[in-house]
Amino acid sequence: MDKRRIPESDTQKQEITARKGLARVRLRTIYTVILLGIFVSGILIYQLFRIQIIQHENYQKRAIDQQTREWEVTASRGSIYDRNGETLAQSATAMSVFVSPAELITYDENPEYKTYHSVDGKRTEYEKLSRGQIAQQLTEILGEFGSDYETIMAKWDRTNSMHEWIARRLEPAVSDKVRDFIAQYNLKSVHLAEDSKRYYPNDDLAAQILGFVNAENSGGNGLESFYESTLRGVNGRMVRATNARGTEMLNEQYENYYTAIEGNSITLTIDAKLQGYLEKHLAQAIIDNHIQNGAMGIIMDVNTGAILAAATLPDYDPNNYSTLNPDSNEKLKALINEGKVNEFGDTVTYTDGERAALLNEALNEQWRSRVFSDTYEPGSTFKIITLAIGLDTGAVSENDNFPCGGKINVLGREDPVHCWRLSGHNDQTLKQAVQHSCNVAFVTIGLRIGARRFYDYVKAFGLQTKTGIDFSGEGGGVIGVDWWEDDVFMDTMNQSQLASASFGQTFAITPLQLLTAVSAVVNGGYLMQPYLVQTITAPDGTVLKSNKPTEVRQVISEQTSEICREMLEAVVSGVEGTGKNAQVPGYRIGGKTGTSQDIGHQTDEYKVSFVGFAPADNPQIACLVILDSPDRALNGNVSGGTMAAPIVGKIFADALPLLGIRPEITNSAEAISTIMPNVKSLSIAEAASKLEDVGLQVRIFGSGTTVLDQAPFANYELDKGSQVILYTDTYKPTDLVSVPDISGMSYKDARGTLEVSGLFIRAVGVAPSDKSTIVAKLQSQDPGTEVARGIVVEVTMIDNDTSLMEGIG
C-alpha cells in the first residue's frame, strides 16, 4: 500500500479548520461554564456562610421572633434587713398591665371588638367596644397608677408591637378590676403579667439610707442604688410558640419557662429601733425649736465605724417616692405655688415645664441623705480635733493656762478674733477652756500648732477625702489647700485662716466626716472606715460576704485620746460646761457643742449642733445632731448647748439601755427617779410604808382604810419626792385633764403645777437644783392635750445660763 501523504483539497482543509475552531469554542465554553459555576458557587457559599455563620444569630432571632412570643419574668430583689434581722425592704408579687397593638389587629379588636353576652343561657347578643373605649375604661380603672388615655391611644398605634406597658406593679384591688374587665369583654389585646414590687414595711423609717426602687425595678437612690447589682437578681423568661397568624399555641409542649433568679439580700449595721429613736427625737426637735430647714443625725459605733442610725428630716416614704413630703422644702413649694417675677416686676405663673423642673428639684432634695452628702461649717464641734492635735503634737499640755479677755489679735487680720463671750473667760486651764468653748484659747492652740502640722493632722483625720462609706452620693470636705502649702508664709505673715480654722470656721466637711474623726479622737486614736452593710447573703442563706471593721490609720496616741475623753466629759458634767444639757442620769457622757453660720456668712441662718459619746470612760457609741436654721425670732437665744445637746441626751437615754449598756448607780443617779409600786388592796399604813421606801410621798383621797386605786399606775417611772395619790373610798376619777404648759418653769414649780392637775413628773436632762437658770424646756405631752389622770409627763430640764451659751464657733 502506498503510504505516501495524499495532498488535501481546499475543501478538506476548510473542514479541518472548522472542526478545530469548533473544538476551541467548545473548550472555551466549558471553561466559561466552569468558571461561572465556580463564581456562582462562591457567591452561594459566601451567602450561606454569611447567613449561617456571620448573621446566624440575627436570622435565628428573626425566625424565633416569628415563631415564638417571649415574656420577661421580673426577678424578685433581695431583701434588706437591719442588724437584728428586722425587714426594712422586701419584694412581693404584683401584677402589671400591658396592651398588645398587634393582637388588637390579629383578633379584630380594631377598631371595635365584638363580645358575646349570655341571654337565657345562649350567647346570642353582641356588644361592641372600640379601641378608644378600651383605653377609656382602662384609664378609669387604673387612675393615678397607670397611663392616661392619650398615652394608651398612642401605644395602640404601634401596630407591630406585642407588648406596651400601661401600668406597673399594681395593688391587688386595682389588678383585680383589670382582670374582671378583661374577662367581661374577653379581650385578647390586654394582658396582666406577673411582676415584682418593692415594699418598705416601716414606711419612712431610714428612707434616705434605703433609697427606693423605680418603675424599671432598679435602685433609684440610697443603698438600693449602691447595691443594685447585688440586690436585683436575674430576670426569667416565658417563651411560647405561635402559629402562622402569630396566635399563641396554648399547650405546655409549645412553651418553655426560664425561672427568674432571686437577688441576694443585705443585712445592715443599722438598728431599726435606734433609727426610730433618732428620727423621733429629731422630729420633736424641729417642732420644739422652730427649725426651718430640717434636722440631721448619725449614731456610730466608735470602735468599728458601723453606722447604727442615720437620718435626715424631713424624709419621705419610699413606697411613694415620687410624692413630695408636705413638710419638705417650704420655700421651694411656696415658689412653685406663688410663681416668679418677670423682667417687668410682675408675678407670673410657671409653665408646666418649669413647675416640673422645680418639683424634680424638691424631690431630689428630699431623697438626699444630707448627713452623707452635704457639707457644712462645723463650728465649735471641730474644737475636739484642734484639742487632739494640740495635745498629740505637744503644742499644748494639760497644765497650760489660756487667758481670755474676749478677743485676740491675729497676724494678717485687721480686726481681732472675738470670743463668743465678749467679756472673756479670764484666766483658765486647758480643761476649763474646753468647757467654756473659748475661741481665744483655741486660736492660741491653733497658732502654736502651726499651719503645716495642723493640715497634716486634718488630712490624717480623713477630712480632706471621702470616707469611702458604701453609699451613693457621698460628699467630701471643702478645705482649701492653697493657704496650707506655704506654711512659712502662714506662720509668719498671715495667720488669719489658721486662726479661723482652729475653731471650725472658713471650711466645710460632711457630718459623717466629723463624726468619724471625733470617734477616732475618743476610741484610742484609730480612724475607722464607716460602713452600712454587715453581710451579703444568697437566697439559700449562704453568706457571700461579711464586712469587717477597717482601720484606716492611727491618728493620735491612746494617751492623747484618754486626755481628750476626760476633758470632753467635763463639757457635759462640769458646772461650767456648755454641754451640760446632754446629761443622762446614771451615764457618763462626753461631747461638744457647736453653733455656726453658713459658709460665706452672707446669711442670718445658723446651724446648731452637738456631738456626744458614751460612756465617756469607755466609749461605745457617738452621736451627732445638727438642727438647720432655728427661727431666731421665736427662739431668742440660738445655741447648740440649749437646742441640740438635750436631743443627744434624749437619744442616749434611749440608746444606751437598748445596747445593753447599764447605768452606773451613783448617789446623784439614785436621787432622780423611782418606779411606782402596786399598792392596791394594801392598808393605808402598808401602802405608805412601801411608797416611803422608794422615796415617794403620799396624798390620800377618802377616809377608808384600804387602797382601792392609785395614781400613777404601777410600774410608771417618776421622780422621787413626788406626791402620789391613794384612793380609799372610791376609784380614781375617769375624767380627762388638760396638760398645763410648764415651759420655762423651775423644777419645783413644774412638778407642783403638774401635781395640781393630777399628773406627775419625770425629769431628764440637767439634774434638778435650786439654780434659777435650770428650767423646763420640753415636755412629752403638749400643753392643752386632754389626758387621763395619773400619767407621768417627761420633762426635759436645761440650764439656760446665758454665760454658758456659746455663740458662733
Side-chain angles (χ1 to χ4, degrees):
M1 181 177 180
D2 190 357
K3 296 182 178 180
R4 288 179 300 174
R5 181 179 180 86
I6 299 174
E8 298 176 347
S9 66
D10 291 340
T11 301
Q12 290 175 323
K13 288 180 180 178
Q14 291 175 352
E15 290 178 353
I16 292 170
T17 302
R19 284 197 297 272
K20 289 181 178 180
L22 182 60
R24 285 194 295 270
V25 170
R26 287 175 177 171
L27 185 62
R28 283 197 298 269
T29 301
I30 292 171
Y31 287 155
T32 300
V33 170
I34 291 173
L35 290 173
L36 184 61
I38 292 172
F39 178 73
V40 171
S41 297
I43 292 175
L44 291 174
I45 290 171
Y46 170 75
Q47 290 295 334
L48 286 171
F49 178 79
R50 185 177 64 85
I51 292 170
Q52 295 188 356
I53 306 299
I54 297 176
Q55 295 189 341
H56 168 75
E57 292 184 2
N58 176 45
Y59 284 103
Q60 183 183 53
K61 181 179 183 300
R62 291 171 63 181
I64 290 173
D65 288 345
Q66 293 174 355
Q67 301 166 22
T68 63
R69 182 169 305 153
E70 181 177 310
W71 316 111
E72 186 174 72
V73 179
T74 305
S76 179
R77 290 175 73 87
S79 297
I80 302 178
Y81 303 101
D82 89 328
R83 65 190 295 118
N84 300 309
E86 181 176 337
T87 302
L88 300 177
Q90 62 184 0
S91 293
T93 300
M95 303 306 292
S96 293
V97 186
F98 67 91
V99 294
S100 175
E103 287 180 311
L104 188 79
I105 297 173
T106 299
Y107 291 103
D108 196 24
E109 292 180 355
N110 179 37
E112 57 187 18
Y113 178 69
K114 301 173 182 179
T115 183
Y116 296 99
H117 270 233
S118 177
V119 176
D120 298 330
K122 297 180 180 180
R123 297 170 63 190
T124 56
E125 292 188 0
Y126 292 106
E127 182 180 345
K128 299 179 180 180
L129 279 184
S130 69
R131 66 174 190 168
Q133 289 173 315
I134 296 175
Q136 184 61 44
Q137 292 207 36
L138 284 172
T139 301
E140 293 174 359
I141 292 170
L142 297 172
E144 62 178 316
F145 304 107
S147 301
D148 58 23
Y149 175 81
E150 289 76 15
T151 303
I152 297 176
M153 290 299 292
K155 291 186 176 183
W156 280 138
D157 292 334
R158 300 170 187 169
T159 54
N160 292 323
S161 173
M162 299 290 293
H163 193 284
E164 296 289 334
W165 291 114
I166 62 171
R168 302 299 301 270
R169 305 176 187 91
L170 297 173
E171 292 297 324
V174 181
S175 62
D176 286 346
K177 290 180 181 179
V178 176
R179 185 178 289 105
D180 292 342
F181 174 63
I182 293 171
Q184 179 182 353
Y185 295 102
N186 194 27
L187 296 175
K188 305 294 185 185
S189 57
V190 181
H191 299 269
L192 280 168
E194 193 173 282
D195 209 335
S196 179
K197 184 172 183 177
R198 199 63 158 173
Y199 290 95
Y200 301 87
N202 297 302
D203 299 326
D204 55 2
L205 184 77
Q208 288 97 346
I209 300 299
L210 298 175
F212 57 84
V213 171
N214 60 26
E216 283 68 48
N217 204 38
S218 299
N221 212 284
L223 291 173
E224 292 276 23
S225 173
F226 190 88
Y227 282 95
E228 168 66 15
S229 61
T230 299
L231 293 164
R232 71 184 173 204
V234 179
N235 290 342
R237 291 181 298 146
M238 176 181 284
V239 182
R240 183 174 290 164
T242 60
N243 59 24
R245 294 183 63 202
T247 305
E248 292 182 25
M249 301 172 68
L250 303 178
N251 191 300
E252 290 185 1
Q253 65 178 318
Y254 298 116
E255 68 179 32
N256 285 318
Y257 185 83
Y258 300 89
T259 304
I261 301 174
E262 182 182 347
N264 299 319
S265 296
I266 59 177
T267 298
L268 309 185
T269 59
I270 296 291
D271 185 306
K273 288 185 178 178
L274 274 184
Q275 182 74 28
Y277 290 148
L278 176 62
E279 293 183 13
K280 175 186 73 173
H281 292 303
L282 289 178
Q284 191 61 48
I286 289 175
I287 296 170
D288 294 334
N289 296 288
H290 311 286
I291 304 302
Q292 301 175 87
N293 292 335
M296 298 163 271
I298 322 177
I299 304 175
M300 176 186 286
D301 184 324
V302 301
N303 297 305
T304 66
I307 304 298
L308 304 180
T312 300
L313 296 185
D315 52 18
Y316 68 99
D317 183 354
N319 294 299
N320 301 292
Y321 63 88
S322 59
T323 300
L324 191 63
N325 186 323
D327 297 325
S328 68
N329 207 323
E330 294 293 338
K331 292 181 180 179
L332 185 57
K333 285 191 296 182
L335 197 63
I336 294 174
N337 295 331
E338 295 170 5
K340 61 179 179 178
V341 178
N342 63 17
E343 65 271 24
F344 304 107
D346 301 322
T347 300
V348 296
T349 58
Y350 285 101
T351 65
D352 290 342
E354 290 172 330
R355 188 174 290 106
L358 287 169
L359 177 60
N360 186 61
E361 179 185 337
L363 286 172
N364 277 285
E365 183 171 309
Q366 77 174 15
W367 295 339
R368 192 172 74 248
S369 178
R370 296 174 64 190
V371 291
F372 296 152
S373 64
D374 287 13
T375 59
Y376 79 114
E377 194 173 86
S380 288
T381 53
F382 189 81
K383 291 173 181 174
I384 296 175
I385 309 302
T386 302
L387 172 67
I389 299 172
L391 288 168
D392 205 61
T393 58
V396 295
S397 73
E398 296 175 82
N399 301 319
D400 289 351
N401 286 335
F402 296 89
C404 169
K407 60 184 178 181
I408 182 173
N409 292 314
V410 175
L411 191 65
R413 185 180 179 120
E414 292 183 6
D415 298 321
V417 174
H418 289 276
C419 188
W420 63 266
R421 187 175 183 179
L422 297 179
S423 62
H425 293 100
N426 301 317
D427 195 35
Q428 56 190 344
T429 64
L430 178 60
K431 187 174 183 178
Q432 289 173 322
V434 175
Q435 291 182 65
H436 297 156
S437 191
C438 177
N439 290 349
V440 169
F442 277 89
V443 168
T444 303
I445 295 171
L447 298 180
R448 288 187 189 179
I449 294 168
R452 173 52 57 187
R453 286 196 300 183
F454 194 93
Y455 177 64
D456 288 343
Y457 269 88
V458 164
K459 274 205 307 185
F461 273 114
L463 301 177
Q464 272 284 64
T465 56
K466 296 180 180 181
T467 67
I469 191 173
D470 46 342
F471 191 79
S472 300
E474 183 192 4
V478 183
I479 302 178
V481 298
D482 54 331
W483 61 271
W484 308 94
E485 289 177 345
D486 190 352
D487 50 314
V488 175
F489 173 76
M490 281 302 306
D491 289 335
T492 60
M493 301 293 291
N494 190 330
Q495 299 176 327
S496 177
Q497 289 276 40
L498 176 59
S500 297
S502 66
F503 58 96
Q505 289 189 5
T506 67
F507 66 90
I509 55 178
T510 67
L512 177 63
Q513 285 179 308
L514 177 69
L515 192 61
T516 304
V518 169
S519 294
V521 171
V522 302
N523 71 4
Y526 301 94
L527 184 70
M528 306 300 296
Q529 180 175 320
Y531 64 104
L532 279 163
V533 170
Q534 199 164 270
T535 57
I536 299 175
T537 309
D540 63 2
T542 303
V543 176
L544 302 176
K545 183 179 180 181
S546 181
N547 288 327
K548 301 297 183 184
T550 301
E551 180 187 317
V552 180
R553 67 183 71 87
Q554 184 171 5
V555 185
I556 60 174
S557 70
E558 294 193 6
Q559 181 183 7
T560 298
S561 176
E562 183 178 356
I563 297 171
C564 289
R565 289 196 299 269
E566 179 187 343
M567 291 188 175
L568 293 170
E569 182 180 6
V571 173
V572 177
S573 63
V575 175
E576 300 176 338
T578 56
K580 65 193 308 179
N581 291 320
Q583 291 176 8
V584 181
Y587 290 99
R588 296 173 62 178
I589 310 295
K592 186 72 193 70
T593 55
T595 305
S596 61
Q597 283 178 285
D598 287 341
I599 291 291
H601 302 167
Q602 301 301 312
T603 175
D604 200 31
E605 295 183 346
Y606 293 79
K607 289 183 176 67
V608 296
S609 60
F610 185 83
V611 59
F613 58 94
D617 56 331
N618 183 25
Q620 301 300 309
I621 61 171
C623 176
L624 171 64
V625 162
I626 303 170
L627 307 179
D628 190 354
S629 303
D631 189 312
R632 300 188 73 193
L634 296 175
N635 285 291
N637 291 313
V638 171
S639 164
T642 56
M643 294 179 171
I647 305 307
V648 173
K650 283 176 168 289
I651 292 168
F652 280 152
D654 286 335
L656 294 171
L658 179 67
L659 297 174
I661 302 172
R662 300 176 64 85
E664 298 179 3
I665 303 300
T666 63
N667 290 335
S668 60
E670 287 180 332
I672 293 174
S673 65
T674 187
I675 302 298
M676 177 69 178
N678 185 358
V679 296
K680 289 182 183 180
S681 302
L682 298 181
S683 68
I684 295 296
E686 290 173 325
S689 175
K690 192 170 184 178
L691 292 167
E692 185 180 345
D693 289 342
V694 294
L696 296 172
Q697 300 177 24
V698 177
R699 182 165 43 148
I700 299 173
F701 278 68
S703 57
T705 59
T706 303
V707 178
L708 298 179
D709 209 344
Q710 66 181 59
F713 295 111
N715 298 319
Y716 266 64
E717 185 177 1
L718 71 164
D719 284 0
K720 289 184 176 182
S722 297
Q723 190 176 61
V724 301
I725 302 173
L726 303 182
Y727 298 89
T728 61
D729 284 344
T730 183
Y731 290 93
K732 182 178 66 176
T734 58
D735 61 312
L736 300 180
V737 296
S738 179
V739 177
D741 184 355
I742 57 173
S743 59
M745 291 186 183
S746 68
Y747 174 77
K748 182 179 179 180
D749 290 344
R751 186 173 75 178
T753 301
L754 289 171
E755 288 180 353
V756 166
S757 300
L759 306 174
F760 301 91
I761 191 169
R762 176 176 176 261
V764 297
V766 176
S769 77
D770 294 333
K771 186 178 178 182
S772 61
T773 56
I774 296 179
V775 296
K777 178 174 176 64
L778 309 174
Q779 55 191 85
S780 58
Q781 301 288 338
D782 290 334
T785 305
E786 297 290 317
V787 299
R789 291 177 181 272
I791 72 162
V792 176
V793 178
E794 183 179 278
V795 179
T796 302
M797 306 298 298
I798 67 166
D799 191 340
N800 239 346
D801 188 344
T802 55
S803 67
L804 300 179
M805 293 183 187
E806 94 288 1
I808 304 304

